[in-house]
Amino acid sequence: MAPRANLQLARIFGIRIGVGISWFAVLFFFMYAVTDPFHKMLGGSLTTAYLVAVASVLSFFASLILHELGHALVARRRGLPVAGIALSNSPSQVRALDLKGRVLVMRSSAGTRGAVGAGEPESPGTELRVAIAGPLVTLAVIVVCTVAGQLATDSSHFFEAALATGGVHASPALVWLSWVATINALVLVFNLFPAFPLDGGKIAHAAIWWRTGDRNRATNATGRMGQAFAVVIGLFGLWGLASGSSGGLIALLLAFFLYQSASVAVAQGALGRRIESLTVADVMDREPVTISSSLTLLEAHDEFFTRYRWQWFAVVDPARHFLGIVRGQRVDAEISAGRPALAVADVLEEEAPVRVDEEEPLRSLLGAEGLPRLGAMVAVDHDGVLKGVITLAQVQRALRLAT
């Protein structure tokens, strides 16, 4: 498995929260950008303004995590595997495959949003519930901040501070709460545009899928809307640059990422039509090399890892039920620690992204988190019996034949 590209901050409800290293640069940029406007509203020392800026920006990023947790928890409740949430300075990452079978990173939303790596919803209703959960959490954050801010002072001062109208003076608590409410409101409005890859696009995708009964048609339509939306943002960015606005460059970068994501969706929709009849069983290797759970680590090392030079193997019991995977790195570590007679069954790892049902449509692997991460996935039947292994190369080959 490739090393993680981000640092783990925490686990909430068992869901990993991570950040990319470059995310910290965005964090400090936000703090720097809002310190001066806060100082003008607060008066007093610059240190106070900076501390309020730190608290406000951290609260904003916490609200983004809550937004993504809303998606993740609903997805998990609906039976979808959730890999985790990752904040980065680029749009969130959802793995996909392009028409040539190459691994792509599909950007799924703007700014410093996070990604929920989950399986594909099997119905429009499930997709709608997952898509709308995040915006509802954001709306709740806005309401809480607004109510708390109005309790701290009168409503007119709260909205004046939120809009940063000239000459307004406010307390640190009011500046903090009004700014968090305002920026979340902007995120909510922007995110509800019916254009892929925004949440509004996913809601529109669910609606079109429900109305037409065609997932691929919905993917193509929302992808086209995403492209059009990106072009509009790009035009505003060009206008901003011509006007000397610093926001013009940000708008152009945002438009680029949105258009890139939407284009991948359009391609994925077209490809989905070509491969919709294919299942995992149609392309998997039906005679994969597996390790018996009764073997010792030394036997596994000598007979499998030394011979094949693979990073991991699927482990099965005598009835060929899939039990988990064993990694060469773990085997080497245990042998070096003086435990070569330990059974393979004692060092198993069971990661959600590695298992897939053999009857799953092949298109479901286009967004599978485990395929590019592990290089292969284990195909099982309804009883958990291992039926084969599907590799990234096999999926790529199937996609090339479909184009």
Side-chain angles (χ1 to χ4, degrees):
M1 183 178 74
R4 294 190 185 275
N6 54 57
L7 302 175
Q8 178 174 320
L9 290 182
R11 280 190 178 272
I12 303 177
F13 302 115
I15 298 172
R16 182 182 186 274
I17 312 296
V19 295
I21 299 297
S22 54
W23 172 81
F24 291 97
V26 177
L27 186 71
F28 290 120
F29 171 78
F30 264 75
M31 293 175 182
Y32 171 79
V34 300
T35 297
D36 186 58
F38 283 6
H39 188 219
K40 291 178 181 177
M41 284 194 290
L42 291 167
S45 69
L46 188 62
T47 300
T48 301
Y50 178 73
L51 292 176
V52 174
V54 170
S56 300
V57 173
L58 290 178
S59 298
F60 171 55
F61 281 100
S63 68
L64 294 181
I65 292 175
L66 290 176
H67 175 109
E68 296 301 336
L69 273 175
H71 288 306
L73 293 175
V74 173
R76 190 166 67 179
R77 186 174 182 181
R78 303 297 295 185
L80 300 175
V82 177
I85 296 172
L87 292 177
S88 65
N89 68 330
S90 59
S92 57
Q93 301 174 350
V94 179
R95 290 171 176 81
L97 300 171
D98 71 0
L99 291 175
K100 296 181 181 178
R102 297 171 300 186
V103 177
L104 294 177
V105 175
M106 189 170 72
R107 308 295 183 177
S108 70
S109 90
T112 50
R113 289 286 309 282
V116 179
E120 276 196 339
E122 290 303 317
S123 70
T126 297
E127 180 170 43
L128 178 62
R129 290 180 179 89
V130 174
I132 205 170
L136 288 177
V137 171
T138 299
L139 180 61
V141 170
I142 296 169
V143 171
V144 169
C145 289
T146 302
V147 171
Q150 289 184 334
L151 290 176
T153 184
D154 64 78
S155 60
S156 63
H157 282 170
F158 178 83
F159 289 109
E160 286 176 1
L163 297 173
T165 52
V168 65
H169 293 281
S171 66
L174 183 57
V175 171
W176 166 49
L177 291 170
S178 64
W179 186 83
V180 174
T182 302
I183 195 167
N184 272 286
L186 293 174
V187 168
L188 179 64
V189 171
F190 178 81
N191 196 37
L192 286 179
F193 273 88
F196 189 88
L198 305 175
D199 286 339
K202 295 171 186 175
I203 293 171
H205 184 277
I208 297 172
W209 182 10
W210 171 78
R211 183 70 179 82
T212 64
D214 189 337
R215 183 206 297 261
N216 295 317
R217 181 176 177 182
T219 301
N220 183 74
T222 52
R224 294 293 184 191
M225 287 189 284
Q227 287 177 324
F229 185 53
V231 169
V232 172
I233 293 177
L235 292 175
F236 273 107
L238 291 174
W239 177 78
L241 285 179
S243 303
S245 171
S246 59
L249 180 59
I250 296 175
L252 284 176
L253 291 174
L254 177 59
F256 170 76
F257 287 124
L258 288 176
Y259 192 88
Q260 183 187 48
S261 299
S263 297
V264 172
V266 171
Q268 189 172 337
L271 181 60
R273 289 195 182 98
R274 299 187 180 99
I275 65 171
E276 60 185 351
S277 62
L278 292 178
T279 66
V280 170
D282 292 327
V283 297
M284 70 184 184
D285 178 4
R286 294 181 177 275
E287 297 182 359
V289 178
T290 59
I291 293 180
S292 171
S293 59
S294 62
L295 290 185
T296 66
L297 297 185
L298 184 59
E299 290 171 332
H301 177 272
D302 293 342
E303 297 176 24
F304 292 91
F305 288 100
T306 301
R307 178 180 177 184
Y308 294 99
R309 302 292 181 181
W310 294 346
Q311 293 184 352
W312 62 270
F313 286 89
V315 179
V316 297
D317 64 12
R320 288 195 62 79
H321 290 99
F322 173 64
L323 302 179
I325 65 173
V326 60
R327 298 182 185 276
Q329 185 178 10
R330 176 69 183 278
V331 170
D332 291 340
E334 294 291 348
I335 292 176
S336 298
R339 292 184 287 271
L342 200 64
V344 168
D346 294 330
V347 295
L348 290 183
E349 296 180 34
E350 168 64 286
E351 298 190 16
V354 79
R355 183 194 296 254
V356 63
D357 193 290
E358 64 172 340
E359 297 304 322
E360 283 286 313
L362 187 62
R363 60 169 169 75
S364 68
L365 296 185
L366 298 184
E369 197 262 345
L371 195 59
R373 189 170 150 199
L374 297 172
M377 297 182 71
V378 175
V380 299
D381 64 12
H382 296 299
D383 297 321
V385 176
L386 187 144
K387 292 296 184 179
V389 169
I390 183 166
T391 66
L392 180 59
Q394 289 167 330
V395 174
Q396 291 172 333
R397 190 179 306 113
L399 296 180
R400 284 194 295 269
L401 293 174
T403 58

